[in-house]
Amino acid sequence: MTGATAHDVDKNVGREVLNALDKAKTQGYHFKSIIIAGMGFFTDAYDLFSISTVAKLLGRLYYYDPALKKPGTLPPNVAAAVNGVALCGTLAGQLFFGWAGDKFGRKKVYGITLILMIFASIASGLSFGSSATGVMTTLCFFRFWLGFGIGGDYPLSATIMSEYSNTKTRGAFVGAVFAMQGMGILSAAAVAIILSSIFDAAFSRPAFNVDPIRSTPPQADYVWRLLFMFGALPAAATYYYRIRMPETARYTALIAKDTEKAAKDMEKVLHVHFDAEKQTQVTDKKSAQAEYGLFSAEFARRHGTHLVGCCVTWFMLDVAFYSQNLFQKDIFSAVGWIPSAKKMSALEEVFRIGRAQALVALVSTVPGYWVTVALVDTIGRFIIQLQGFFFMTLFMFVLTFDYYNLRGQPCPTDSSKFCGGNHLAFISIYALTFFFANFGPNSTTFIIPAELFPARLRSTCHGISAAAGKAGAIVGAFGFLYASQSAHEGKQDHGYPTGIGIKRSLLLLAITNCVGFFFTFLVPETKGKSLEDLSGENEDAERRTTIDLLKQNAKIQDLFDTSSVYSSEQEEWKLRFVHSNQSAKRNLLFDQNLLLWVVFLTKFKIAFKKIVNLRSVEVLAGHTSSD
């Protein structure tokens, strides 16, 4: 075989590193990476879902109106802003950091997301102002930047974990990172329970209907502030370890084109040695220029349907997932977990809401995440996502057509409670909807975009898919909140316009889940396949290797360029090299000397033909002279 150039060896070492990653046994660095990336998602969920435990408290503290003779509540526009601004920040962060992760490297921007979360969590708790409007405005400002940092964690954590993982357990590792969301939701509820209990013990107050003023102690203002500030602790605890993580080998080898550094980084974590001499790294500029971009026709041909499938399924999932609070208050009231607001003090209400949220997380949310982790590499992403959408659609249809029979009707003696109905079935369907969302598309829509796309676009495409999901979350959390209001004037919640009613809203959500079910068919199964096979990078690399081999071999190039006698044979060989399938390539490339024999035999044939022709001329000349 002819001498290999530095670029040839460089590519071979790169492939060796990537193959080692795909085949690596599960090691300590895998679990360390899960914890480092997962704590980011723990913080994400804690910060995003903690607001739901204290939203009622904010209304009591800042928007109490004695003339209404009921506890204060956040006006619809303020509630939408406080809850929705973090989602808007998340959407923006997903797009920006998704792009930045591909442009500058995963590691370089990974620590920035934690810095934003730490700063914004503390600042949210320190929101200031001399009026309710001032406090809510500063809170919304800081929660936007909190969401911006949270958004960056989606594409970066998913991409980093998928590129670190081996082929056999990649789905479980990426899913385990996302499953930390469940722990974050549970922790937010637990901290709310602990803080409200401590303050209630120190500043015990009567229920609102006993003493409206004293039911909300001024010290309760510290509860929501401390709750938000505690969100900075897990992010701060993992910051050091996050910035110490090496860049992923796939980014270093495939995008930065520095396979020597990729090999060294992976030697540290895999504890293996790659045989490679130190050499000057060579970047194939023509190949780099030939690589298709996000807005190219080639990307649309190869991955257009994949990106559409990822975006639409994540959008539909989050519309349904974030609209679960539409009937949450009815469920909690029906089973007696949360009585009428007038019958509780402000701190007791925080305690009861936190407890209800913790119970739902324990019996449905958290188990759903971890069942996915256990089975995703066994039964595959496609089946889990498909059955998740199916059961969510089924349960939504059940609620649509039997909602009031399950819930019951307001009790004659206490309109805050519901009498009759089947409360056990009601809360079971609610819990199962959450379970199959998490043992289903809520987990798989996070995993799949981190596997399908080329390394140079992987973080960007995951960010786009996640941003589509957050757009769905905004629609689900607020569009349906308004839509679910009663269609009869006077029966809607205070401050809201009339809507289409809860049953029609649930019907729309069932249809939404059904759309997600069918768009799942645009997303291929990724279980057990290498990232490069899924993205087509292996195929591209083999094609470039074939073309490079032809160009580097001067003798073969002479065969293609110098002779005109056997041009059809030359073209046939050229086409075989450029357009043959993978198995044919392996047969043709296993020994470059085979090609040299082709050159030799072809030129020998040319020379032999010339000798025969020359001999024929001499014989003919001899016959002519004798005559």
Side-chain angles (χ1 to χ4, degrees):
M1 182 173 177
T2 59
T5 66
H7 184 48
D8 294 327
V9 177
D10 189 46
K11 290 189 292 184
N12 291 335
V13 175
R15 292 181 185 178
E16 184 183 354
V17 172
L18 301 186
N19 289 335
L21 280 172
D22 286 336
K23 298 175 182 178
K25 295 180 180 179
T26 301
Q27 300 178 30
Y29 94 96
H30 287 117
F31 295 105
K32 182 179 179 181
S33 300
I34 289 172
I35 293 171
I36 294 171
M39 288 307 292
F41 267 90
F42 178 96
T43 304
D44 299 347
Y46 179 96
D47 290 329
L48 284 180
F49 288 89
S50 59
I51 188 68
S52 63
T53 62
V54 293
K56 299 285 187 182
L57 177 61
L58 291 173
R60 287 186 184 240
L61 286 168
Y62 296 103
Y63 291 94
Y64 170 62
D65 185 356
L68 296 177
K69 297 181 180 181
K70 62 180 182 179
T73 57
L74 293 175
N77 61 326
V78 176
V82 170
N83 289 280
V85 71
L87 296 177
C88 294
T90 302
L91 188 154
Q94 288 164 336
L95 293 174
F96 174 79
F97 283 103
W99 166 81
D102 287 332
K103 179 69 175 178
F104 305 109
R106 288 76 158 115
K107 179 187 176 180
K108 287 184 179 179
V109 295
Y110 202 27
I112 298 174
T113 62
L114 278 189
I115 292 175
L116 281 171
M117 284 189 274
I118 293 168
F119 167 77
S121 294
I122 295 173
S124 295
L126 298 175
S127 297
F128 53 86
S130 57
S131 64
T133 301
V135 173
M136 294 300 112
T137 299
T138 54
L139 176 60
C140 288
F141 174 79
F142 292 128
R143 281 188 65 79
F144 174 85
W145 290 107
L146 173 65
F148 194 74
I150 289 172
D153 236 40
Y154 276 73
L156 294 176
S157 290
T159 300
I160 286 172
M161 199 65 239
S162 70
E163 292 183 345
Y164 269 139
S165 302
N166 58 50
T167 302
K168 184 178 179 181
T169 57
R170 185 178 60 236
F173 289 159
V174 179
V177 170
F178 193 65
M180 294 302 289
Q181 268 199 348
M183 306 306 295
I185 295 170
L186 186 60
S187 297
V191 174
I193 291 170
I194 293 170
L195 288 174
S196 60
S197 298
I198 293 172
F199 276 81
D200 193 39
F203 310 102
S204 182
R205 291 293 188 270
F208 180 87
N209 55 9
V210 175
D211 190 333
I213 302 298
R214 293 185 65 246
S215 68
T216 306
Q219 295 85 354
D221 192 59
Y222 293 109
V223 172
W224 69 269
R225 294 179 183 274
L226 288 173
L227 179 67
F228 290 162
M229 293 171 74
F230 274 131
L233 293 180
T238 56
Y239 176 75
Y240 171 78
Y241 299 99
R242 182 170 286 197
I243 62 173
R244 296 278 295 175
M245 293 178 71
E247 181 59 86
T248 69
R250 284 185 161 89
Y251 181 88
T252 305
L254 298 176
I255 302 177
K257 309 292 185 185
D258 190 349
T259 54
E260 183 182 345
K261 186 177 187 304
K264 288 181 178 179
D265 287 343
M266 289 304 99
E267 282 176 357
K268 296 176 183 178
V269 296
L270 289 173
H271 305 294
V272 297
H273 177 68
F274 298 103
D275 295 323
E277 298 177 0
K278 187 173 181 179
Q279 56 195 283
T280 302
Q281 302 301 321
V282 181
T283 301
D284 189 343
K285 294 181 179 180
K286 291 184 178 180
S287 294
Q289 292 172 354
E291 290 176 344
Y292 54 87
L294 179 64
F295 300 105
S296 65
E298 184 66 13
F299 177 87
R301 183 183 70 81
R302 294 189 181 204
H303 299 292
T305 55
H306 298 163
L307 187 59
V308 170
C310 290
C311 288
V312 173
T313 53
W314 207 334
F315 177 87
M316 296 300 171
L317 175 275
D318 274 8
V319 169
F321 188 80
Y322 281 84
S323 65
Q324 300 284 357
N325 59 355
L326 297 183
F327 49 98
Q328 188 179 76
K329 61 181 180 180
D330 283 354
I331 289 175
F332 292 163
S333 297
V335 298
W337 287 357
I338 301 179
S340 170
K342 293 182 178 180
K343 295 182 179 181
M344 297 181 288
S345 68
L347 292 172
E348 182 187 357
E349 188 173 36
V350 174
F351 175 85
R352 288 181 175 271
I353 292 173
R355 185 180 65 178
Q357 183 172 302
L359 288 171
V360 172
L362 278 172
V363 301
S364 62
T365 305
V366 174
Y369 282 119
W370 291 104
V371 171
T372 298
V373 172
L375 298 178
V376 69
D377 287 309
T378 303
I379 63 177
R381 293 79 156 139
F382 180 81
I383 295 298
I384 289 177
Q385 183 163 309
L386 208 62
Q387 61 87 32
F389 271 126
F390 173 80
F391 283 110
M392 289 174 70
T393 303
L394 176 64
F395 294 138
M396 285 293 184
F397 273 125
V398 172
L399 288 171
T400 297
F401 297 109
D402 212 28
Y403 186 82
Y404 295 116
N405 289 332
L406 292 169
R407 187 199 68 177
Q409 300 299 323
C411 298
T413 57
D414 186 354
S415 60
S416 66
K417 295 182 178 181
F418 297 99
C419 295
N422 190 333
H423 296 165
L424 178 61
F426 196 33
I427 195 169
S428 295
I429 291 175
Y430 176 73
L432 285 171
T433 304
F434 264 116
F435 175 82
F436 281 104
N438 293 311
F439 176 44
N442 194 38
S443 296
T444 54
T445 52
F446 177 80
I447 297 171
I448 294 171
E451 300 177 307
L452 280 179
F453 303 101
R456 64 185 179 279
L457 298 172
R458 184 170 292 133
S459 181
T460 301
C461 290
H462 194 285
I464 292 171
S465 302
K470 276 299 170 283
I474 294 169
V475 172
F478 307 109
F480 275 87
L481 182 60
Y482 282 82
S484 64
Q485 298 296 320
S486 175
H488 304 288
E489 186 65 44
K491 292 187 177 182
Q492 69 271 29
D493 292 340
H494 177 70
Y496 288 88
T498 56
I500 61 175
I502 188 69
K503 292 190 69 172
R504 291 189 181 93
S505 296
L506 289 170
L507 179 60
L508 285 178
L509 291 175
I511 295 172
T512 296
N513 288 320
C514 191
V515 172
F517 176 89
F518 286 107
F519 269 85
T520 297
F521 288 95
L522 295 182
V523 182
E525 178 57 73
T526 58
K527 179 187 71 171
K529 300 176 182 177
S530 76
L531 295 179
E532 287 68 42
D533 284 339
L534 288 166
S535 64
E537 287 166 301
N538 275 344
E539 182 182 347
D540 292 340
E542 289 180 3
R543 184 180 296 112
R544 287 196 298 269
T545 298
T546 303
I547 295 171
D548 288 346
L549 187 59
L550 290 172
K551 291 179 178 179
Q552 290 167 10
N553 193 311
K555 294 182 179 180
I556 298 173
Q557 194 66 41
D558 288 342
L559 173 64
F560 290 155
D561 297 336
T562 60
S563 175
S564 60
V565 179
Y566 295 96
S567 58
S568 61
E569 289 187 30
Q570 297 158 15
E571 188 63 27
E572 181 182 352
W573 274 98
K574 193 171 184 178
L575 289 174
R576 286 183 66 189
F577 271 89
V578 177
H579 299 293
S580 58
N581 57 36
Q582 292 183 7
S583 61
K585 288 178 188 175
R586 285 192 293 270
N587 292 332
L588 287 170
L589 295 177
F590 78 98
D591 187 353
Q592 196 173 9
N593 288 319
L594 173 64
L595 301 178
L596 298 179
W597 275 107
V598 173
V599 174
F600 173 78
L601 292 174
T602 304
K603 290 198 170 184
F604 177 80
K605 186 177 180 181
I606 296 171
F608 182 76
K609 187 76 172 181
K610 288 181 179 179
I611 292 171
V612 171
N613 290 338
L614 181 61
R615 180 62 178 163
S616 298
V617 170
E618 292 176 349
V619 171
L620 182 60
H623 283 297
T624 304
S625 61
S626 64
D627 291 340

